[in-house]
Amino acid sequence: MLGNLVRYLDSVVARDPAPRSRWEVLLYPGVWALFWHKIAHRLFNARLFFLARAVNHLSRFLTAIDIHPGATIGKNFFIDHGFTVIGETAEIGDNVTIYQCVTLGGSNPTNGKGGKRHPTLEDNVIVGSGAQIIGPVTIGKRARIGASAVVTESVPDGATMIGVKARSTLVAAETYAKDFMPYGTPCKEPCEPAPNQRVDQLEEQIDALRAQVEALMAERDEAAKSTEPACKGV
């Protein structure tokens, strides 16, 4: 058990450069929220629903993180900073990282039955701060959800999703990001540029073309001036 704890703390340190030791990680609200969830989840599976909810309520009060006792969570799950909501039928794989203010929300069943209504996050997924993943969608392995993205459809393995409604950057994560990517958001080079960025890029290209045209015209005028006396002499 101690070995599992040490491995978990080391996995957090590997993803977060802030802590100087494992002891600091033990103070993280996400770590404590996961601890309380393990207790609540066992009570939930034992059909002790009220006790499970009581533990969940205590955990939410202490950590500002709300994980429903029914949620299924794999190994090395890390919530950085907190203020996260995870629904009852959410399923989370191994080595998943979630940043602050993320919601794994549910759809509203029209048939009156609960069913599977929350997302499934497969192994090594990273969800950026403020992202909202809604409904029984599946986020594929090693996918990245950018900050403040809203995801309502399943995401393929290795894709990076940005925007509202989230759209793929069309660059698979394995082609440029072998290592851990903080906040699930890559640098601007592989990302699809925003409309304002496109306008700025076009203006830069126009300015460059204008400068080239002016330089060519100046060269032509100089060439014309240099040949003018010879023409008069003839």
Side-chain angles (χ1 to χ4, degrees):
M1 183 175 179
L2 180 60
N4 290 336
L5 176 60
V6 170
R7 282 190 290 272
Y8 173 69
L9 297 178
D10 287 342
S11 75
V12 173
V13 172
R15 286 174 279 179
D16 185 4
R20 269 59 175 182
S21 68
R22 297 168 181 157
W23 294 105
E24 288 187 46
V25 178
L26 285 173
L27 298 177
Y28 279 21
V31 174
W32 282 100
L34 184 59
F35 168 77
W36 290 112
H37 173 72
K38 289 182 180 294
I39 298 174
H41 188 63
R42 290 184 180 181
L43 293 171
F44 185 88
N45 289 338
R47 303 188 65 81
L48 300 173
F49 300 125
F50 179 79
L51 291 177
R53 275 291 194 175
V55 173
N56 164 248
H57 185 77
L58 174 64
S59 174
R60 182 173 56 184
F61 175 77
L62 295 175
T63 66
I65 297 172
D66 186 3
I67 307 176
H68 192 284
T72 303
I73 297 177
K75 292 183 284 188
N76 298 332
F77 177 52
F78 176 38
I79 301 175
D80 199 355
H81 300 296
F83 307 101
T84 290
V85 177
I86 299 174
E88 177 184 3
T89 60
E91 300 176 53
I92 298 174
D94 297 339
N95 305 307
V96 171
T97 303
I98 289 180
Y99 288 89
Q100 64 269 21
C101 302
V102 167
T103 299
L104 303 186
S107 58
N108 183 20
T110 57
N111 58 7
K113 299 178 182 179
K116 172 66 172 169
R117 59 191 190 279
H118 296 92
T120 295
L121 276 58
E122 297 186 346
D123 297 346
N124 300 299
V125 167
I126 301 172
V127 183
S129 55
Q132 312 294 305
I133 306 177
I134 309 298
V137 300
T138 298
I139 310 302
K141 296 178 180 178
R142 299 191 73 251
R144 279 81 167 106
I145 309 301
S148 299
V150 177
V151 180
T152 57
E153 296 178 357
S154 293
V155 176
D157 293 357
T160 298
M161 307 296 290
I162 60 173
V164 181
K165 170 181 172 184
R167 63 191 186 280
S168 175
T169 61
L170 304 179
V171 180
E174 59 267 18
T175 63
Y176 66 88
K178 294 292 185 182
D179 298 325
F180 178 75
M181 183 193 298
Y183 293 92
T185 306
C187 57
K188 64 180 181 180
E189 284 78 6
C191 281
E192 180 183 357
N196 290 340
Q197 292 176 322
R198 290 174 177 169
V199 172
D200 293 340
Q201 291 173 358
L202 287 173
E203 289 180 349
E204 291 177 0
Q205 293 175 4
I206 291 172
D207 290 339
L209 290 172
R210 182 182 291 113
Q212 292 178 6
V213 170
E214 290 176 353
L216 290 172
M217 291 178 66
E219 290 180 4
R220 186 194 64 181
D221 293 341
E222 289 295 330
K225 289 179 180 178
S226 62
T227 58
E228 186 173 350
C231 294
K232 289 182 178 179
V234 173

